[in-house]
Amino acid sequence: MEWNAKKYNTTHDFVFKYGAGLLKLLPKEQSKVLDIGCGTGELTNQIAQLGHEVTGIDQSVNMINQARESYPDLTFLQEDILYPTDQIEMYDVAFSNAVFHWIPDQNLLLKNINEHLNENGQLICEFGAVGNVQLIREAFGRELNALGASFEEPFCFTSLSDYRMLLEKNHFEVIEILEYERPTTLKGGKAGLREWMEQFYTEELGELSRNQKERILENMERDLTPSLWKEDHWEADYRRLRIIAVKM
Ligand code: BEZ
């Protein structure tokens, strides 16, 4: 899927703003860091400002172009971590925020990361846990099913215990693994939910007629109001897994 990099950077800036908490987990000493799924490069830039030597990678050409425009002095590569080329070197830290749940083959992901970490290299990451944005996903699924369309989700939202096993199987020692609820305010007031849907379900919504799309979004707003509308904003039911693991 190609991303709307401009909207991601403005309306959905909470994605990297929440990621700032992860930066505190980076080593204090200067390290060589790979930022996997760097998007528009905001966190990559913050990693560089902490004094690390950082490379941001993303498979989206739009994101990489935007990142290069915003931070011309930093290194950004259009790369898919599942199929890394020789441009991906060896790193002390593999860092990633809000990306892993988009990657279907978690085994290959962790294997590739492990192979590109130096001895005792660390994986520091956060992404969607089991049950992430469940109310929103269920509401969307119901609407698509009512139209006779199937809802095949691209996401891989994993439980703490399953992910721990996956890490160990891929030769990581788990230092910390935390599963937590992170209710997330969507910008844009009443329009916040539909703007979020348009950013993250671009393809699915793009397959609908204008009327179908409008009806689905209206029904979702109606059905989700009791649970997710908080006075003047939507609060998405995010759940997160936060991980620090070391290459064994
Ligand atoms: C997430 O970051 O958790 C997420 C983003 C888009 C769709 C679903 C989940």
Side-chain angles (χ1 to χ4, degrees):
M1 143 169 147
E2 252 322 329
W3 288 81
N4 182 333
K6 289 261 180 310
K7 273 241 164 197
Y8 178 86
N9 223 6
T10 51
T11 312
H12 309 292
D13 57 359
F14 65 84
V15 177
F16 55 80
K17 287 193 169 151
Y18 274 109
L22 260 194
L23 298 175
K24 297 199 178 87
L25 306 180
L26 286 168
K28 297 292 166 264
E29 67 276 12
Q30 198 209 24
S31 305
K32 193 168 164 189
V33 180
L34 181 67
D35 181 7
I36 300 168
C38 62
T40 50
E42 312 304 322
L43 289 178
T44 322
N45 180 48
Q46 291 180 41
I47 293 169
Q49 299 211 326
L50 289 171
H52 301 295
E53 181 195 334
V54 61
T55 298
I57 62 168
D58 205 292
Q59 60 166 334
S60 159
V61 79
N62 288 351
M63 291 292 190
I64 288 295
N65 286 341
Q66 177 70 46
R68 284 180 178 147
E69 195 181 309
S70 302
Y71 306 106
D73 296 337
L74 299 185
T75 305
F76 294 102
L77 304 171
Q78 193 208 345
E79 282 275 350
D80 182 344
I81 188 64
L82 292 187
Y83 307 100
T85 71
D86 292 348
Q87 295 188 106
I88 307 288
E89 301 172 352
M90 297 297 287
Y91 301 86
D92 304 314
V93 178
F95 176 93
S96 185
N97 176 56
V99 171
F100 283 12
H101 51 253
W102 291 99
I103 299 178
D105 193 339
Q106 294 287 319
N107 257 314
L108 186 57
L109 167 70
L110 293 177
K111 175 178 171 289
N112 288 352
I113 291 173
N114 197 291
E115 282 175 6
H116 288 87
L117 280 175
N118 293 323
E119 202 176 329
N120 295 321
Q122 292 187 61
L123 169 62
I124 298 174
C125 59
E126 182 163 305
F127 52 94
V130 66
N132 191 36
V133 287
Q134 181 124 347
L135 293 172
I136 299 179
R137 292 188 292 121
E138 283 175 358
F140 190 39
R142 274 196 304 275
E143 291 301 321
L144 288 178
N145 291 339
L147 284 179
S150 62
F151 181 38
E152 281 176 32
E153 293 203 79
F155 307 116
C156 174
F157 296 133
T158 320
S159 71
L160 185 153
S161 52
D162 284 353
Y163 218 81
R164 180 189 285 280
M165 274 194 291
L166 212 54
L167 285 160
E168 287 169 355
K169 182 175 157 207
N170 284 284
H171 313 290
F172 282 99
E173 181 190 352
V174 176
I175 304 298
E176 190 180 317
I177 183 163
L178 176 70
E179 188 175 342
Y180 69 101
E181 295 192 2
R182 199 201 68 194
T184 296
T185 297
L186 304 183
K187 271 192 183 170
K190 283 221 160 57
L193 181 63
R194 57 178 58 219
E195 290 190 355
W196 186 92
M197 289 292 298
E198 279 162 3
Q199 174 81 33
F200 294 115
Y201 286 98
T202 316
E203 277 178 28
E204 291 82 351
L205 291 173
E207 284 168 13
L208 304 171
S209 72
R210 235 172 121 130
N211 280 345
Q212 285 174 326
K213 177 174 151 182
E214 189 51 36
R215 200 162 351 113
I216 283 189
L217 293 174
E218 280 176 6
N219 289 350
M220 287 182 68
E221 287 169 344
R222 181 199 61 210
D223 293 347
L224 290 170
T225 291
S227 45
L228 300 182
W229 177 253
K230 311 286 170 190
E231 282 184 23
D232 57 359
H233 65 273
W234 291 98
E235 197 170 84
D237 50 336
Y238 275 57
R239 303 192 77 251
R240 284 303 194 236
L241 270 186
R242 175 174 282 201
I243 289 163
I244 307 177
V246 175
K247 174 174 173 152
M248 285 199 279

